[in-house]
Amino acid sequence: MAVRRIGFIGLGIMGRPMALNLSKAGFDVVGYSRSPGTRDAFASGGGRLAGSVAEATAGADIVITMLPDTPDVLDVALRPYGVFARAAKGSIFADMSTISPHASLELAEQGRRLGVRVVDAPVSGGEMGAKEASLSIMVGGEDADFEDLRPVFAALGTTVVRVGQNGAGQTVKAANQLIVGGTLGLLAEAITFLEASGADTVAALQVIAGGLAGSRVLDRKGGAMLARDFKPGFRVDLHHKDLGIVLTSARQTGTVIPITAVVAELMASLRANGDGALDHSAMLKAIQRLSGRAAG
Ligand code: NAD
């Protein structure tokens, strides 16, 4: 299939740079988002806007969603005048949001009934990865659909892997979020300990980053934690949602994940303290509160 027109729904922190990168790559992209602020930002970046989900979907070879949570994707896909109601037969619906693997499977089944090809393709790499088109993209779906999507994904990411059938992309993303959350928790504990010990934290993170304890989480979030710069990025509310997906999926597969259970509680405590809109590097605040230290 030669992809020309792409409908892109959800123009937030991730969706806007992704949709703009697709435009830059030469695709005919029409974007739509619910909040006026994100629509304006997309238009001022040179993007072409549709007035509704139905308008963004009409005539598209591919419809991409980049929405916050499972209910948002189900709503946009299944409602009257939603994606499935308007998508052309043989077109592809690629949901790149992070949602429950079970919901991705449901969407794929609905798509099969209607002649729409459905793929789950969640991403990792954050806002920077979206802007730089260097995302990791984890794809669940039919091989032929993946092949048709290759040029689209190539404009968004550098590591693009088909990991299995529908839902598999979301399962891999859940594992990804488990690792990121746990690493953030340990990084926050290390910083809290270093500060309490009176260590030079900048020098400490610099040398730690070069050894076995180095990680991309440390590279991307360590400096922000030291500076108490918790502007999102990836909101605590969204990571909380992802850890819920991880815990539910683990229970369904009979997997015991005690470390993630603690991390999920820490993330929940951030929300309970009114920090849900901060970047998930605010994990530092949750850890510091435990020691009676204020994280700023
Ligand atoms: P965001 O809240 O910044 O953006 C979501 C956008 O969706 C908003 O512009 C909102 O207006 C729009 N929206 C919500 N409901 C809608 C609806 N019914 N119809 C049309 N538009 C609607 O979120 P984000 O950070 O861009 O994240 C999007 C998805 O990507 C989430 O599933 C998140 O877990 C995942 N993700 C985010 C990051 C990150 O670093 N931010 C990284 C990887 C994956």
Side-chain angles (χ1 to χ4, degrees):
M1 174 169 88
V3 179
R4 285 180 304 105
R5 165 77 70 93
I6 298 175
F8 202 111
I9 300 161
L11 303 169
I13 288 177
M14 297 295 285
R16 181 169 68 104
M18 290 166 69
L20 291 173
N21 279 336
L22 289 170
S23 289
K24 274 184 222 142
F27 296 105
D28 175 15
V29 180
V30 185
Y32 176 74
S33 206
R34 192 171 54 189
S35 53
T38 57
R39 288 202 296 270
D40 294 347
F42 178 65
S44 61
R48 188 149 67 88
L49 280 171
S52 64
V53 169
E55 210 180 298
T57 304
D61 303 304
I62 311 249
V63 176
I64 293 176
T65 41
M66 196 56 176
L67 300 165
D69 199 353
T70 303
D72 305 306
V73 177
L74 291 177
D75 172 41
V76 162
L78 303 176
R79 71 161 95 126
Y81 308 107
V83 173
F84 282 134
R86 282 288 178 273
K89 277 203 184 339
S91 64
I92 300 180
F93 170 37
D95 174 39
M96 303 191 77
S97 333
T98 305
I99 67 168
S100 107
H102 183 73
S104 290
L105 270 175
E106 265 179 42
L107 289 169
E109 269 166 34
Q110 178 76 358
R112 262 189 278 281
R113 279 195 286 276
L114 296 168
V116 177
R117 303 188 278 158
V118 178
V119 162
D120 49 297
V123 307
S124 181
E127 185 183 16
M128 193 185 288
K131 285 183 173 159
E132 292 173 346
S134 63
L135 293 167
S136 268
I137 308 178
M138 310 146 196
V139 186
E142 297 295 331
D143 204 20
D145 302 343
F146 176 60
E147 288 306 321
D148 280 347
L149 282 164
R150 258 187 203 283
V152 175
F153 291 152
L156 299 173
T158 42
T159 308
V160 184
V161 180
R162 178 177 173 259
V163 292
Q165 289 296 335
N166 292 103
Q170 296 295 353
T171 299
V172 174
K173 174 67 185 180
N176 183 90
Q177 292 308 80
L178 171 168
I179 295 169
V180 173
T183 310
L184 278 173
L186 288 174
L187 180 57
E189 288 187 4
I191 289 174
T192 304
F193 164 66
L194 287 165
E195 288 180 352
S197 310
D200 177 340
T201 47
V202 173
L205 290 196
Q206 187 189 347
V207 71
I208 288 171
L212 186 58
S215 69
R216 202 161 299 168
V217 171
L218 193 162
D219 294 344
R220 294 257 177 103
K221 303 290 179 178
M225 280 190 187
L226 292 185
R228 273 53 171 173
D229 175 7
F230 303 131
K231 177 178 169 289
F234 185 60
R235 286 183 286 121
V236 165
D237 282 339
L238 290 177
H239 209 146
H240 174 76
K241 173 250 319 179
D242 293 353
L243 291 169
I245 293 170
V246 176
L247 292 174
T248 304
S249 304
R251 179 168 283 210
Q252 283 163 353
T253 54
T255 315
V256 180
I257 48 170
I259 297 170
T260 306
V262 172
V263 172
E265 289 299 299
L266 290 165
M267 206 64 84
S269 115
L270 280 169
R271 295 188 88 216
N273 281 278
D275 293 333
L278 298 182
D279 187 72
H280 57 167
S281 53
M283 174 62 82
L284 182 66
K285 292 183 82 172
I287 294 292
Q288 297 223 325
R289 277 186 201 117
L290 298 174
S291 300
R293 301 176 74 86

